[in-house]
Amino acid sequence: MEKNIEEIVGFLSQQYERLKNSINFVNDDLLAEQRNYFTTKFSKEVLKRMTPEEALENLMNSKNRDSLVYHLEFKNDEDFNTSNFGGIGGGTAGKFTIFHSNKFDQWVKWEGNSQVPISDQAAQERAYEISQNLVKLHHHIENSPHETLEDVREMVRAIEADQELARFYQYGWVHKYFHLFYPEKVTDFSSTNTFRSLLVKLKHPFVNEISVEEENNTYILDFLYNELVKRIGLSHPNLSKIVYSVFELGSTNYYKVELNKYSASDLNKMIQSEYFFPPIKLNRDLSDFTSTKELREFTKGIDYREYSATQINSLTIGLKRNDVLLLVDEREAKYVGVLKGEYEFINEEAFQHRVPIVWHKVKDTFEISGKVPKLINRIYPIKDQVNVELAVEKGDTVSSEILPNRKEIKPLKGIMREINSLLMKKKQIILTGAPGTGKSYWALNTVYELVARQNYQNSFVNLRFEEQDQVKSSEQIKVVVMHSNYGYEEFVEGLRPENINGDLVFNVKEGVLKEFANKAALKPDKNYYLILDEINRTDLTKVFGELIYSIENTKRGEYIDLSVSKDRFTVPSNLYIIGTMNNADKSVSLIDLALRRRFGFINLETDYELINQVIQESPVLVDEEGTGEDLELEQVTTGAEINISDWLLAVNERIVDTLGSEGRDLQIGHSYFLSKGAVISEPAQFVDVIKYEIIPLLEEYTYNNTDQLKKILGRKIFDSSNRLRNDLLSETKFSDLVEALDEQVL
């Protein structure tokens, strides 16, 4: 059912014609200049000449604004704008395999699956190894003809034959580095999940060309996508701008819903009404509940047993705009719908619970793989997702307009309501919490919601794509990622040297806050939001300077004289500040008391209900009759499984028990187990999170104290010599890993 390449090229070309006057494309000459700047500065020849000392400082030191890693993640000036060449932001500095740890106050490297403090000399040696790995990869990519998919496979096989390169070449930052050198071979998509989502949205026939294993290799996917890039004739960043304007990559969830829960008449009413009617008999507006835990307490209180709280959540408030529902009869697809709004409760209607949707009759019916749902299940196989997208596009639309019976915009609830309420009171707040509790997520998404409500009188999730893009790019929102070198000069104002006619002149340059505040002052009828991510990584008292007085709610609008320019300046009342602070790095109690009085604090905790999902090993097929014929469903036995929520709760309890009062700030948040907003669901994903996120984090918390790690992770994940069992940290050993980790749950 997949599209052919000509259709996809035609579609993207049409989108270019539609959007070319509304998108701010990057000038090709500027791209060439910036690419030349980068490839000259970090060329293969430069890498070859580097000493170990130079490799550490010039490649891997992110605090050095002239280093490779700083260029790849942060650099944004007239010489080089890294955002033009794809993103690798987010996560930790561990993505670079070696970094300077604030916790250890020394260099740290990845060794197997662990973060290990190392000496400066060892760090230099590792940085030199990285430089030589890049040189070797240059050779492989440069010499690959890349004319056929088999050419790319041969290149990948050659790379993976080198044990040192086998994993190294798949790092996102390495992929981005080579995109800058070989854009005709390596694309600007360095995230596999985003890349796969793009190819699914394009209905690309890649599922027929590559194996399941190759779906996770960005260099294989590069070849498929670059074929489109060549035919369309646009640069990668400009085609990416079109792609991101048309699609919300990585954010769509696909569900299959069993039809046998509906009578023929009820099904017809649902399809004709342009709503999805969850078959739930609860005379209660479920949007009142902010978590599955609250929902579970409610259903337990009324002794409701038809569906679990998790199922109810998945059918109602857990669904979001642009998710896709496939109605199936056993495995055969019948109707498909795209959600166009959020859950509603209309008391006077026969079907009280509903979610706005546009239904399509599946034209070319197909079978969906996986288990037959009891009511609702996720659709994960990529080929199935492509077929679902095609069913939406080619299916006959049942109705074309959403019914006008829309409810008024609902009040903010839960964390968003708490953030907004405290902002109105204090003007500036800080979201605190353990790593992975969603501080940055809630800061940004709350601001999107507030701006959407002010500008469109509607909830952000109900806006059209183009309206959402306008909110995200609004001048009313500014995000700044703080770091240890951030000071008053960058935040408020400072003297900067300029060469004017051969003379060195120092001029005053506005900082982020001053510039943003001046914009806000020009439009007092609009609210402006400044998000200071990782605010605890700076010396806040020095950064704010005399503005510690002006930001106070009661002092907004009063003028003071700035210390550098002597300008009269005020922080307007329509400017709101949201900071995020990782409790693992710095306690609230360590913030200057005067500054603390001016901020409101909201502590976010791990949401166990959100990740209440079972990770299950692929079913095992058993031919009980020994016939060798096709196997029936009854001959499928369940593999190993683990409940993420139960396991994480047990681990966090062990962290507190083991590390004492300090452990409350060192617990593990739920977002480690999310990917693009959805809970991870595959054994390979779970293993990677444990291997590359959880274990290194716990090693940092415990300073590699094996006895403490045993108390937290369990004895079974260590061998008799007190060494971590690296052999368990593999998808093929998932059942053994589950057995070892489940010790914490039993």
Side-chain angles (χ1 to χ4, degrees), residues 6-117:
E6 287 71 21
E7 288 180 283
I8 298 174
V9 170
F11 169 77
L12 290 174
S13 298
Q14 289 174 358
Q15 298 308 308
Y16 168 71
E17 292 298 325
R18 181 175 68 88
L19 297 168
K20 65 181 180 182
N21 294 324
S22 59
I23 290 181
N24 185 24
F25 288 117
V26 187
N27 180 273
D28 286 347
D29 290 338
L30 176 62
L31 284 174
E33 289 177 10
Q34 294 192 351
R35 194 184 295 277
N36 182 65
Y37 160 85
F38 181 91
T39 55
T40 301
K41 190 176 187 65
F42 300 108
S43 69
K44 177 174 61 176
E45 290 70 26
V46 170
L47 296 178
K48 285 180 178 179
R49 294 194 299 268
M50 280 187 178
T51 64
E53 294 86 350
E54 291 171 336
L56 185 63
E57 180 63 23
N58 298 334
L59 296 185
M60 309 312 297
N61 186 3
S62 61
K63 295 179 180 178
N64 174 9
R65 297 191 177 189
D66 209 33
S67 68
L68 171 64
V69 294
Y70 185 87
H71 275 71
L72 290 175
E73 188 166 11
F74 302 114
K75 183 80 166 174
N76 181 12
D77 55 28
E78 59 183 16
D79 290 328
F80 186 75
N81 183 350
T82 192
S83 63
N84 287 335
F85 304 97
I88 57 167
T92 69
K95 69 165 77 71
F96 297 117
T97 75
I98 181 174
F99 63 98
H100 198 276
S101 168
N102 291 332
K103 186 76 173 180
F104 292 107
D105 193 26
Q106 67 183 99
W107 285 92
V108 168
K109 80 165 184 175
W110 287 89
E111 189 172 276
N113 64 298
S114 304
Q115 287 182 5
V116 180

Side-chain angles (χ1 to χ4, degrees), residues 22 83 120 131 179 304 359 382 427 577 610 627 638 650 658 705:
S22 59
S83 63
D120 286 352
S131 70
H179 165 65
Y304 177 88
W359 289 111
I382 299 298
K427 295 293 186 182
I577 301 173
L610 179 64
T627 62
T638 303
T658 304
N705 184 312

Side-chain angles (χ1 to χ4, degrees), residues 646-742:
D646 292 344
W647 178 78
L648 184 59
L649 177 60
V651 167
N652 279 337
E653 289 175 348
R654 294 289 182 97
I655 289 175
V656 175
D657 290 343
T658 304
L659 302 181
S661 58
E662 183 188 32
R664 298 191 180 279
D665 289 335
L666 300 178
Q667 296 182 64
I668 300 169
H670 52 269
S671 67
Y672 286 98
F673 298 91
L674 301 178
S675 176
K676 299 297 182 182
V679 186
I680 62 172
S681 60
E682 301 295 331
Q685 292 176 302
F686 182 78
V687 171
D688 282 350
V689 170
I690 299 301
K691 184 175 182 178
Y692 299 113
E693 301 283 353
I694 304 304
I695 289 178
L697 187 66
L698 292 175
E699 287 177 331
E700 189 166 341
Y701 284 171
T702 62
Y703 296 92
N704 283 307
N705 184 312
T706 303
D707 290 336
Q708 290 183 335
L709 285 170
K710 278 186 176 181
K711 290 179 181 179
I712 297 171
L713 285 171
R715 296 168 289 105
K716 293 182 180 180
I717 202 168
F718 291 86
D719 61 23
S720 58
S721 301
N722 286 333
R723 295 175 63 86
L724 195 66
R725 293 187 58 190
N726 291 321
D727 60 299
L728 295 181
L729 302 175
S730 165
E731 182 184 4
T732 59
K733 294 285 187 177
F734 179 73
S735 60
D736 294 331
L737 176 63
V738 166
E739 181 184 355
L741 295 179
D742 245 5

Side-chain angles (χ1 to χ4, degrees), residues 166-433:
R167 182 164 184 82
F168 178 81
Y169 87 111
Q170 284 276 45
Y171 290 131
W173 72 269
V174 174
H175 187 270
K176 179 173 179 177
Y177 169 84
F178 284 109
H179 165 65
L180 282 150
F181 283 89
Y182 311 103
E184 73 285 354
K185 297 180 180 180
V186 182
T187 72
D188 57 343
F189 285 95
S190 298
S191 164
T192 306
N193 287 338
T194 303
F195 215 155
R196 288 170 54 172
S197 176
L198 168 61
L199 295 177
V200 166
K201 290 292 185 182
L202 291 174
K203 298 95 173 176
H204 196 289
F206 76 104
V207 290
N208 296 325
E209 299 183 45
I210 62 178
S211 66
V212 174
E213 294 76 16
E214 290 174 334
E215 288 179 5
N216 293 311
N217 190 301
T218 48
Y219 295 85
I220 296 288
L221 302 182
D222 285 336
F223 179 81
L224 304 176
Y225 184 65
N226 262 331
E227 186 176 359
L228 303 177
V229 177
K230 293 172 186 175
R231 295 197 188 194
I232 294 170
L234 289 175
S235 64
H236 281 88
N238 288 334
L239 184 54
S240 292
K241 284 177 177 287
I242 294 173
V243 165
Y244 280 112
S245 295
V246 175
F247 303 120
E248 290 190 2
L249 299 182
S251 63
T252 300
N253 295 314
Y254 301 85
Y255 299 91
K256 50 187 174 184
V257 178
E258 179 55 52
L259 281 177
N260 63 20
K261 294 296 180 181
Y262 298 91
S263 67
S265 60
D266 286 349
L267 175 61
N268 185 61
K269 290 176 184 176
M270 180 170 74
I271 297 299
Q272 296 298 325
S273 72
E274 295 189 327
Y275 279 102
F276 168 59
F277 296 149
I280 297 172
K281 295 179 176 62
L282 280 173
N283 188 23
R284 174 69 183 270
D285 187 346
L286 301 180
S287 62
D288 292 337
F289 300 103
T290 58
S291 69
T292 310
K293 181 179 181 181
E294 289 183 13
L295 192 55
R296 181 177 293 115
E297 291 172 353
F298 166 69
T299 55
K300 182 186 267 188
I302 64 173
D303 198 28
Y304 177 88
R305 300 184 181 182
E306 186 175 7
Y307 298 113
S308 69
T310 301
Q311 289 174 316
I312 296 171
N313 180 78
S314 297
L315 288 161
T316 56
I317 54 180
L319 295 173
K320 63 181 188 297
R321 187 176 185 267
N322 297 320
D323 282 350
V324 181
L325 298 183
L326 185 72
L327 301 186
V328 297
D329 183 6
E330 292 293 326
R331 284 194 175 86
E332 190 174 355
K334 295 295 186 180
Y335 292 93
V336 64
V338 180
L339 297 175
K340 292 301 180 184
E342 56 186 5
Y343 164 82
E344 300 176 3
F345 178 81
I346 302 180
N347 188 50
E348 62 273 14
E349 296 289 341
F351 298 96
Q352 296 172 309
H353 308 281
R354 50 183 61 194
V355 185
I357 198 168
V358 173
W359 289 111
H360 307 266
K361 181 76 171 69
V362 176
K363 204 167 187 177
D364 302 320
T365 189
F366 59 94
E367 284 202 354
I368 204 80
S369 61
K371 293 182 178 179
V372 176
K374 294 180 180 178
L375 178 58
I376 185 170
N377 285 133
R378 287 278 185 88
I379 298 173
Y380 289 111
I382 299 298
K383 187 174 183 66
D384 285 347
Q385 292 181 2
V386 172
N387 283 334
V388 171
E389 288 284 353
L390 283 164
V392 172
E393 179 179 305
K394 297 181 178 181
D396 294 327
T397 305
V398 177
S399 301
S400 59
E401 296 293 334
I402 297 293
L403 293 181
N405 183 20
R406 294 265 71 80
K407 293 180 65 178
E408 292 184 3
I409 186 171
K410 296 179 181 179
L412 291 171
K413 293 182 180 291
I415 296 174
M416 284 190 179
R417 178 178 61 190
E418 190 177 358
I419 291 174
N420 186 52
S421 176
L422 196 54
L423 273 179
M424 294 301 103
K425 179 180 178 181
K426 301 287 290 187
K427 295 293 186 182
Q428 49 271 330
I429 67 171
I430 293 179
L431 304 181
T432 67

